[in-house]
Amino acid sequence: MVTSGNVTCKLLDLQKAKASTGIGFLDHMLDQFNSHAQVGVELQYPGTDYNRNADQHQQDFLREVGEQVGTAMLDMIADISTDRSSTFYCPLDEALTKCVIRKGLEEGCLSYTLAPYGKFPATTGRTHLGRLQTAAIESFWEGLANKSGLHITLEKIRGNNAHHIVESSFKAFSRALRNYLDGTDTVSEANKALINMYGHDS
């Protein structure tokens, strides 16, 4: 558990929980930890309005949320050796993302290549998903990686739908995390087929 001011964050292994950050689409993404990692994120920012924090400087705010989650993750991964890694390719409709996680010897770090988020508008891709600013999403993962000590790679293999790209990345991380915690073979037969199809190794 980590507490900062009046915000408390817990990660509950094999238990459901609810995140209420005050940015609705971010809560929806954190729920992927519940659904696909079986790790509940219990994180409650004050207030009751659904998008009460959407008008904050979102890059700073999402980094703070990521730091809360990453710090809470420390106890969960403390006993995992640095030679374990986990890779998961997650297709979601027309999007496909790859996630690789491993523990760093010192600090965590992030390799993030999801932008642009779709092709509409053509010059920039989507700037918002609901009230969540797509440009701020990378900050969440930076905060999580830095505080957890994980090396995280999130790579877009294909996809032109912003919602699917982002949700695929959260699902890919969640599935990789579950396998990382369990010490299972993370390159499944399905993943091997995707690797062969798209020419990416793990």
Side-chain angles (χ1 to χ4, degrees):
M1 180 175 70
V2 57
T3 301
S4 175
N6 52 3
V7 177
T8 297
C9 182
K10 298 179 186 177
L11 296 190
L12 306 175
D13 194 19
L14 304 177
Q15 298 181 55
K16 290 188 175 183
K18 181 178 180 180
S20 181
T21 65
I23 300 179
F25 196 87
L26 179 59
D27 294 344
H28 176 45
M29 292 300 97
L30 291 175
D31 190 53
Q32 305 310 309
F33 286 62
N34 267 328
S35 301
H36 297 279
Q38 296 181 315
V39 171
V41 179
E42 186 176 285
L43 178 61
Q44 305 291 325
Y45 277 80
T48 57
D49 294 340
Y50 187 59
N51 280 309
R52 60 191 174 277
N53 289 320
D55 293 329
Q56 293 206 38
H57 187 277
Q58 286 198 20
Q59 289 187 331
D60 292 342
F61 181 72
L62 264 71
R63 183 174 288 106
E64 177 186 328
V65 174
E67 289 175 349
Q68 293 272 343
V69 175
T71 302
M73 193 174 288
L74 283 171
D75 288 342
M76 187 172 287
I77 64 174
D79 296 330
I80 297 177
S81 65
T82 55
D83 60 358
R84 182 185 298 179
S85 65
S86 178
T87 300
F88 202 91
Y89 286 72
C90 182
L92 181 69
D93 295 330
E94 76 273 19
L96 174 65
T97 60
K98 170 189 175 183
C99 179
V100 182
I101 58 176
R102 62 182 177 84
K103 189 180 292 185
L105 294 175
E106 296 178 359
E107 296 181 347
C109 66
L110 175 70
S111 174
Y112 186 90
T113 56
L114 297 189
Y117 300 92
K119 59 182 181 180
F120 302 106
T123 54
T124 61
R126 288 274 294 276
T127 60
H128 289 76
L129 292 166
R131 297 289 300 279
L132 175 63
Q133 298 170 10
T134 54
I137 297 170
E138 185 174 356
S139 297
F140 167 82
W141 293 110
E142 287 174 346
L144 192 156
N146 288 339
K147 291 298 184 178
S148 67
L150 290 175
H151 289 196
I152 302 172
T153 297
L154 286 168
E155 177 184 356
K156 178 175 65 180
I157 306 300
R158 61 178 170 83
N160 289 312
N161 180 297
H163 184 148
H164 296 160
I165 292 165
V166 173
E167 187 166 348
S168 174
S169 69
F170 275 82
K171 287 183 177 181
F173 176 84
S174 297
R175 293 294 183 101
L177 176 62
R178 183 70 262 164
N179 288 337
Y180 187 70
L181 295 173
D182 293 344
T184 58
D185 179 7
T186 59
V187 182
S188 66
E189 292 303 316
N191 276 333
K192 288 176 184 176
L194 289 170
I195 292 167
N196 291 334
M197 183 182 303
Y198 293 100
H200 290 255
D201 60 23
S202 59

